[in-house]
Amino acid sequence: MENTSIFNGIVQYEHEQVMLCHDKHTGLKAIIAIHNTVLGPALGGTRMWQYANDAEALEDALRLSRGMTYKAAVAGLNLGGGKAVIIGDSRKDKSEAFMRRYGKFVNNLGGKYITAEDVGTTTKDMEYIHMETKHVAGIPESMGGSGDPSPFTAYGVYMGMKAAAKHKWGSDSLNGKKVSIQGVGHVGIHIIEHLTKEGATVYFTDIFEDKIKAVQKQFPSAIFVKPEEIYGLQVDIYAPSALGATINDETIPQLKCEIIAGCANNQLKDEVKHAQMLKERNILYAPDFLVNAGGLINVYSELNGYNRKRVMEQCEYIYTIAMNVFEEAESKNITTAQAANQLAEKRIQSIANNKLYI
Ligand code: NAD
């Protein structure tokens, strides 16, 4: 029997389980995707976004959850990969009842999936979800949680940028370097903080006026550019920090940077083709799931008795992992995305083999 279209992506990406959630009272429509639980429970944030259609939402959930498997594996965490998407406008459609109903769906999975914050959701939302389930991380510090993961994600990205600089230019100093950032939300603004502190020149863009104003107020030296201008800027480093799939056939020819290192998940529209195109253009790509693992490291710590010092050390270690990936890619003449994938797959396979024994 042929697969239906719903199963195509699930089979292609090798997902274990996908749950569709609906509630007529609150209007909730969500998809929870569990990719792989070999290393541990599937942890990944809940994204809320106005998708063009349901197929696009499913594709996003599948790609993002698969990315979480690789992210946890490469960061050395005992976690599997999962992700959820809520279909709707995060500025209008959310309410306490809406998020708590969603929390009940998460709870139904019995801990196989642990949720957290992502684009379109906040720590307040996690608080509502927590009223219905304990399988949520990134709850406010006042409730014993680790709070907003974004500063840790930003710190890890900054470490990844420095490692890339070291590999590319022989020095990890970003002083005097030009760095462009697409998206100055929760993470992007903290990346700017690290960069300006180190003396880099920052160019940034966003599509929301309030976000632009916040950066201009806090970092007056940062230079705003229009969204469509960000790809073609003559910079040293480009940091995609908004949504995924922005590195593609149309944008790669415009790029004039030497390094790509940002926090957005799934930056490459086609992981194989576009990683290869970047390699051919001699642009060093710091794999997104490697450099943006800081937030995951932070929420993981929450599950085991939160330890901020340990979290910072693990985020700093992203520098070392990234250096290893860049060197491996160079020595094997493969893309950095391939090298990072291989590192993750090797770890998952070796732990799966261990599970054969008591
Ligand atoms: P956010 O929603 O706070 O910020 C995203 C920003 O990008 C927003 O300000 C939005 O207006 C802007 N944006 C959207 N489309 C844009 C466009 N076309 N051009 C310019 N700006 C645009 O989200 P965030 O938490 O900062 O996360 C950003 C990215 O990093 C996402 O891809 C997310 O999945 C990823 N990520 C976040 C974390 C975390 O700790 N928050 C961890 C890992 C990965």
Side-chain angles (χ1 to χ4, degrees):
M1 200 174 77
E2 264 188 51
N3 286 326
T4 66
S5 60
I6 297 175
F7 271 95
N8 285 349
I10 297 171
V11 172
Q12 183 195 339
Y13 299 126
E14 300 184 12
H15 278 71
E16 289 178 17
Q17 187 178 355
V18 176
M19 181 158 95
L20 302 180
C21 317
H22 172 245
D23 178 58
K24 69 174 180 179
H25 297 293
T26 55
L28 173 75
K29 270 173 90 181
I31 303 170
I32 302 177
I34 296 171
H35 178 251
N36 186 296
T37 56
V38 167
L39 296 176
L43 196 154
T46 297
R47 175 169 295 193
M48 184 158 182
W49 194 252
Q50 283 182 293
Y51 293 96
N53 52 55
D54 296 349
E56 195 186 87
L58 176 63
E59 178 69 14
D60 211 25
L62 295 179
R63 279 172 53 108
L64 290 167
S65 53
R66 180 172 169 274
M68 293 305 293
T69 298
Y70 281 78
K71 190 187 303 200
V74 100
L77 307 176
N78 292 325
L79 288 175
K83 198 92 178 182
V85 300
I86 296 178
I87 301 164
D89 185 342
S90 65
R91 294 187 172 222
K92 288 206 299 245
D93 298 339
K94 279 193 297 193
S95 66
E96 178 187 347
F98 183 94
M99 291 316 296
R100 289 181 65 170
R101 184 69 186 94
Y102 171 67
K104 281 182 188 283
F105 282 110
V106 172
N107 197 48
N108 287 345
L109 285 163
K112 193 171 175 185
Y113 170 65
I114 302 169
T115 198
E117 206 183 313
D118 195 70
V119 176
T121 57
T122 61
T123 38
K124 186 72 193 164
D125 297 326
M126 298 308 119
E127 216 176 303
Y128 289 137
I129 293 170
H130 189 248
M131 291 176 187
E132 304 297 341
T133 182
K134 61 178 196 276
H135 306 302
V136 52
I139 52 173
E141 283 166 271
S142 56
M143 291 172 67
S146 58
D148 181 6
S150 308
F152 301 93
T153 304
Y155 186 57
V157 170
Y158 172 59
M159 285 295 121
M161 269 184 193
K162 285 178 83 64
K166 175 81 178 164
H167 186 79
K168 190 87 182 167
W169 303 311
S171 159
D172 64 16
S173 171
L174 300 180
N175 187 288
K177 296 291 181 198
K178 292 181 180 169
V179 185
S180 59
I181 303 186
Q182 179 188 50
V184 289
H186 290 95
V187 183
I189 194 156
H190 291 289
I191 298 177
I192 294 184
E193 189 178 349
H194 291 295
L195 292 171
T196 47
K197 251 188 210 158
E198 198 173 330
T201 303
V202 174
Y203 299 82
F204 76 97
T205 192
D206 204 286
I207 50 171
F208 286 113
E209 200 56 34
D210 55 338
K211 305 279 182 181
I212 298 165
K213 289 236 164 72
V215 171
Q216 285 169 333
K217 191 167 170 221
Q218 213 177 325
F219 306 102
S221 64
I223 303 157
F224 172 75
V225 298
K226 290 187 188 132
E228 61 277 16
E229 288 171 359
I230 198 79
Y231 301 109
L233 284 184
Q234 185 77 54
V235 289
D236 300 299
I237 303 175
Y238 169 51
S241 304
L243 294 181
T246 60
I247 309 286
N248 52 46
D249 287 347
E250 288 77 47
T251 58
I252 292 174
Q254 299 176 47
L255 296 173
K256 297 192 186 74
C257 59
E258 290 188 57
I259 289 171
I260 295 178
C263 71
N265 281 311
N266 297 325
Q267 291 165 23
L268 306 176
K269 187 163 185 194
D270 182 316
E271 199 182 281
V272 178
K273 178 183 168 192
H274 295 127
Q276 187 59 34
M277 279 171 75
L278 292 175
K279 182 172 180 285
E280 280 161 17
R281 292 203 51 199
N282 206 17
I283 297 174
L284 180 61
Y285 169 64
D288 48 16
F289 65 83
L290 193 176
V291 300
N292 73 13
L296 183 63
I297 291 169
N298 190 56
V299 290
Y300 176 68
S301 174
E302 188 177 317
L303 304 177
N304 304 293
Y306 189 61
N307 181 338
R308 193 176 194 278
K309 187 166 172 279
R310 174 80 184 126
V311 170
M312 290 305 277
E313 281 167 7
Q314 282 180 296
C315 288
E316 215 160 292
Y317 196 63
I318 287 176
Y319 182 105
T320 306
I321 305 170
M323 285 300 283
N324 291 343
V325 163
F326 298 145
E327 279 157 23
E328 180 81 355
E330 197 167 88
S331 71
K332 286 189 175 163
N333 194 24
I334 56 177
T335 67
T336 52
Q338 276 172 305
N341 281 350
Q342 286 177 8
L343 185 67
E345 283 159 9
K346 203 168 142 192
R347 178 161 180 254
I348 294 169
Q349 195 50 56
S350 62
I351 302 301
N353 291 344
N354 265 1
K355 286 190 175 176
L356 298 172
Y357 307 96
I358 43 170

